[in-house]
Amino acid sequence: MLRRILHIDLDAFFVSVEQRERPELKGKPVVVGGRPDSRGVVASASYEARRYGLKAGMSLAKAYQLCPQAIYLPGNFHLYGEASEQFMAILADFTPDIEPAGMDEAYLDISGFEPIYGPAPATGERIRKRIKEELGLPASAGIAGSKVAAKVASDLAKPDGLLEVPPAGDCAFLSTLPLNKLPGIGPKTEALLQSIGLRTIGQLAELPSSQVRHLLGSSGELLQRWAKGIDPRKIEPPTAAKSISRETTFAKDIIKPFVLKATLRYLSEKVGAELRLQKRCARCVTLKLRYSDFQTITRRRSLLAPSNIDQPIFITGLQLLKKALSQRQRPVRLLGIGVSVLIFADGQPDMFDTSMQQLQPLNNCIDHLRQKYGFTVLQSGLTFRLKEMMAAQNSDYIS
Ligand code: DCP
Ligand code: CA
């Protein structure tokens, strides 16, 4: 059967969600990332803003220099999460052979779809139409015989377009394109290849393999195969993460146990929130400590019952912390907490431990408020004091 891979990617994702919520932003230079005088970077820029040279990853200060008239927005991350889930759900209506690649893009294997949906571009257009009608978001699609060529095609189709590479045409399609269009060729690799006179993907495809290896090492072989349109990678369904953890490196090493305790509480809340978001429960808690001399230890303990509630995660972590500090008291450089042996909770995360049942609605309510107003809108006594403690230490707060 002829292999047909479709890559679909939402255009200017975060910005498009904002424009959907506030139509007066449409057609204007818009940036999601924060206030232009803050220290952040551009997360997403509208195509109108890109005309001024703005792009993702650029500092907001630089963006402001290039385009002061752009509208700078802080972002509504819960809305983006929701849109991402709805986007993936639409794709799942077409085929189970989906590989999400980040929040707003995915590969679909649509080989053999023709008898049902007609020619491959018709499938792409159907998907794009549903995304536009149901989510109000523009998406671009690329169709080719391999993942790499499909991704390049969707990129070329942007914004709001579709591009099909004809069957058996991946190599010819890629050959005339500039080097930086090939996934895996970043600015450094591009500069290296340009230094020997290469300009196009086709020129990389034709370079003697010994020269590729000499220049780029073992990763060069893969890039050259892609440059030739050879990419047999299959669509891999997502594998759920096996653990969730949060850690922080202190700006100054910490010796005071109550600062460590407060930090542990904060990190436990982050881990708990992520577990609840993923609708999973953990059976095991791991504490990680790096001392000022860089000695790093991890300590594990099982929870009494699988849980996704902040309190038992924190309490178990605290027991491990106390024990570790009683064995070795030295300033701490890094503190982290993680959970593992995860199980799906199926909407009833409290079913395992009845003693925790009353905490479940409280945690859910806190999650809801935090998603709406930001993580620090609600703080426990411990973490509230953490900020003061950190300020007193003249060190940075946890990022
Ligand atoms: N993102 C981010 N920080 C970055 C890059 C991306 O937070 N440095 C987020 C914001 C984007 C989303 O991920 O909206 C998707 O990233 P893309 O690279 O797909 O960029 P866009 O969707 O914004 O634009 P494009 O139309 O080029 O896909
Ligand atoms: Ca995108």
Side-chain angles (χ1 to χ4, degrees), residues 9-13 104 158:
D9 187 324
L10 301 176
D11 300 326
F13 175 39
D104 77 329
K158 278 178 178 295

Side-chain angles (χ1 to χ4, degrees), residues 105-374:
E105 64 178 294
Y107 295 92
L108 278 70
D109 191 334
I110 58 163
S111 312
F113 265 43
E114 250 189 68
I116 320 166
Y117 295 112
T123 304
E125 290 300 4
R126 271 174 104 110
I127 298 176
R128 287 188 343 105
K129 187 160 176 260
R130 276 200 56 190
I131 296 167
K132 177 134 332 139
E133 285 177 0
E134 292 173 32
L135 304 186
L137 298 174
S140 297
I143 299 164
S146 61
K147 279 166 114 175
V148 67
K151 177 153 174 88
V152 175
S154 74
D155 189 35
L156 288 191
K158 278 178 178 295
D160 203 12
L162 179 140
L163 181 65
E164 186 192 27
V165 180
D170 289 9
C171 179
F173 161 67
L174 294 170
S175 67
T176 57
L177 299 174
L179 287 165
N180 65 7
K181 288 284 169 200
L182 192 71
I185 298 194
K188 274 192 194 149
T189 308
E190 186 189 14
L192 217 54
L193 294 169
Q194 282 175 341
S195 72
I196 58 157
L198 304 193
R199 295 288 176 269
T200 65
I201 296 176
Q203 289 170 331
L204 170 60
E206 280 161 20
L207 206 64
S209 57
S210 57
Q211 211 177 336
V212 175
R213 214 171 312 120
H214 175 71
L215 211 61
L216 304 176
S218 54
S219 64
E221 290 173 29
L222 178 76
L223 282 181
Q224 191 175 39
R225 278 201 296 277
W226 286 1
K228 293 175 181 171
I230 302 169
D231 174 18
R233 284 176 303 161
K234 294 198 175 70
I235 302 299
E236 305 273 5
T239 48
K242 291 187 173 62
S243 62
I244 294 170
S245 62
R246 294 289 182 273
E247 61 181 46
T248 188
T249 299
F250 298 106
K252 272 188 186 165
D253 296 345
I254 302 287
I255 188 79
K256 294 195 173 113
F258 61 86
V259 179
L260 294 172
K261 182 177 173 185
T263 305
L264 188 70
R265 171 77 206 192
Y266 172 84
L267 296 171
S268 303
E269 288 177 13
K270 286 278 191 186
V271 167
E274 183 60 32
L275 267 174
R276 292 188 291 279
L277 191 70
Q278 296 187 17
K279 298 197 169 35
R280 297 206 276 172
C281 283
R283 290 184 188 277
C284 195
V285 172
T286 303
L287 177 88
K288 180 174 168 187
L289 275 183
R290 179 167 298 143
Y291 293 100
S292 51
D293 60 359
F294 278 83
Q295 187 205 7
T296 306
I297 61 160
T298 55
R299 297 286 181 264
R300 272 164 72 104
R301 182 170 286 184
S302 287
L303 286 161
L304 289 175
S307 181
N308 60 13
I309 305 203
D310 299 344
Q311 287 80 349
I313 297 169
F314 166 62
I315 289 163
T316 309
L318 189 61
Q319 289 164 348
L320 292 168
L321 178 68
K322 281 185 174 161
K323 188 156 178 217
L325 292 179
S326 72
Q327 287 164 349
R328 184 160 195 249
Q329 214 168 9
R330 228 194 131 82
V332 172
R333 185 180 161 76
L334 173 150
L335 176 65
I337 185 161
V339 289
S340 58
V341 198
L342 306 183
I343 53 172
F344 281 97
D346 219 17
Q348 280 182 290
D350 58 341
M351 63 189 160
F352 303 104
D353 186 357
T354 45
S355 67
M356 287 295 155
Q357 262 171 14
Q358 75 276 27
L359 291 174
Q360 189 70 46
L362 176 66
N363 275 244
N364 291 345
C365 179
I366 291 173
D367 289 343
H368 185 70
L369 286 167
R370 282 178 169 169
Q371 275 169 21
K372 207 159 177 184
Y373 301 108

Side-chain angles (χ1 to χ4, degrees), residues 26-97:
K26 283 188 181 155
K28 297 193 176 145
V30 178
V31 169
V32 170
R35 284 163 44 126
D37 57 354
S38 64
R39 294 191 321 153
V41 296
V42 173
S44 182
S46 69
Y47 280 75
E48 292 77 11
R50 292 182 202 193
R51 279 193 217 122
Y52 296 85
L54 272 59
K55 55 181 183 191
M58 175 182 275
S59 75
L60 287 165
K62 177 88 197 285
Y64 188 71
Q65 270 176 11
L66 294 171
C67 190
Q69 71 274 38
I71 298 152
Y72 291 86
L73 303 170
N76 286 296
F77 296 91
H78 63 284
L79 275 184
Y80 311 149
E82 190 181 77
S84 170
E85 275 181 24
Q86 291 165 337
F87 165 65
M88 297 296 173
I90 291 177
L91 303 182
D93 274 352
F94 287 82
T95 172
D97 287 326

